[in-house]
């Protein structure tokens, strides 16, 4: 359970790092602002035309008597907006990282150079278009997984008591896991670690992942907060990625946190992981 606190400290360390590097923080805000505008437009469209869409999708209820018709379609409209809001939280990070791939990759590399004992950082040996393709492909796979979880949890939410107590907790833990995967992917992909290997690393340290991603997922529920936390979240995820791979880190941000032994992973080459995902 100590890993929960360690994961949360990585989140705080990332925010402190960008606070000390204002230029990197400013550049890191741009992709989040672009994504925010797109998501607000979609949610506004749902709010304005959601009722019309529900009416169009439920012609079988046209002959229902009042008040059942209004209650039924009103509930479906609310559920549609709630589902859109949930999906926006789940997919915000993936879309922002895809839009801001060059920004966040540069930020993550600077974090690596800053905390590495020898001042170096792993660099991708692939062209930018190839990195973008891999990032987009992997993000789509993660989003599909997250959507399946979202639909399952949405359905379980109708179970009395359990749906109002246990299911929301599980939902935030699932959201935290997928947020952490997307954020650590920036640093891990640069090291040639593919999706299947990344998921194995994260599953091996679930409490560390939940300590980092679950508070972040809760914070993302507050409007506009996600935009301002994204640069620091990428920085903190880079520090956590070093921990997951057992890399040394200087200046107190040690990959091996005092009292929590690091768990080095076997060396994973790009060739090996790519072949493993086919």
């Amino acid at each position: 359970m100590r890993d929960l606190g360690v994961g949360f400290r990585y989140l705080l360390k990332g925010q402190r790092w960008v606070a000390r590097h204002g230029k990197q923080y400013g550049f890191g805000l741009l992709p989040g602002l672009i994504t925010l505008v797109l998501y607000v437009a979609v949610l506004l469209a749902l709010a304005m035309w959601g009722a019309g869409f529900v009416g169009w999708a439920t012609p079988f209820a046209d002959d229902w008597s009042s008040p059942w018709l209004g209650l039924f379609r009103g509930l479906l409209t609310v559920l549609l907006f709630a589902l859109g809001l949930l999906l926006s939280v789940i997919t915000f990070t993936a879309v922002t990282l895809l839009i801001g791939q060059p920004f966040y990759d540069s930020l993550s590399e600077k974090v690596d150079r800053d905390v590495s004992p020898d001042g170096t950082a792993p660099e991708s040996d692939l062209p930018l278009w190839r990195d973008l393709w891999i990032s987009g492909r992997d993000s789509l796979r993660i989003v599909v997984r997250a959507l399946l979880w979202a639909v399952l949890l949405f359905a379980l939410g109708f179970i009395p008591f359990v749906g109002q107590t246990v299911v929301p907790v599980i939902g935030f833990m699932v959201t935290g896991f997928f947020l952490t995967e997307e954020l650590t992917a920036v640093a891990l992909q640069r090291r040639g670690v593919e999706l299947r290997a990344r998921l194995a690393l994260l599953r091996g340290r679930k409490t560390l992942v939940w300590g980092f991603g679950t508070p972040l997922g809760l914070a993302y529920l507050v409007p506009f907060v996600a935009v301002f936390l994204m640069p620091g979240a990428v920085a903190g995820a880079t520090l956590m990625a070093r921990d997951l791979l057992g890399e040394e880190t200087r200046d107190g941000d040690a990959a091996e946190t005092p009292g929590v032994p690091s768990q080095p992973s076997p060396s994973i080459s790009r060739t090996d992981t790519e072949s493993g995902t086919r």
Side-chain angles (χ1 to χ4, degrees), residues 69-160:
L69 175 61
L71 289 174
F72 175 69
R73 286 182 172 168
L75 176 61
L76 287 183
T77 301
V78 171
L79 290 177
L80 178 65
F81 187 82
L83 182 59
L85 188 61
L86 175 62
L87 294 180
S88 69
V89 172
I90 291 175
T91 61
F92 183 89
T93 298
V95 175
T96 302
L97 290 175
L98 187 60
I99 292 174
Q101 173 78 16
F103 293 97
Y104 294 129
D105 196 59
S106 174
L107 187 153
S108 175
E109 185 175 332
K110 285 181 171 61
V111 172
D112 269 323
R113 293 186 188 281
D114 189 45
V115 302
S116 175
D118 57 4
T120 62
E123 297 182 7
S124 174
D125 56 356
L126 298 176
L128 177 60
W129 71 267
R130 178 64 175 166
D131 276 328
L132 288 173
W133 165 255
I134 293 174
S135 178
R137 178 198 66 189
D138 291 348
S139 292
L140 181 60
R141 291 175 177 174
I142 290 299
V143 166
V144 169
R145 285 178 167 89
L147 289 178
L148 292 175
W149 272 99
V151 171
L152 174 62
L153 293 172
F154 184 74
L156 293 175
F158 290 98
I159 300 176

Side-chain angles (χ1 to χ4, degrees), residues 207-224:
T207 51
L208 178 71
V209 171
W210 290 330
F212 182 91
T214 303
L216 189 62
L218 288 167
Y220 276 14
L221 292 177
V222 181
F224 308 112

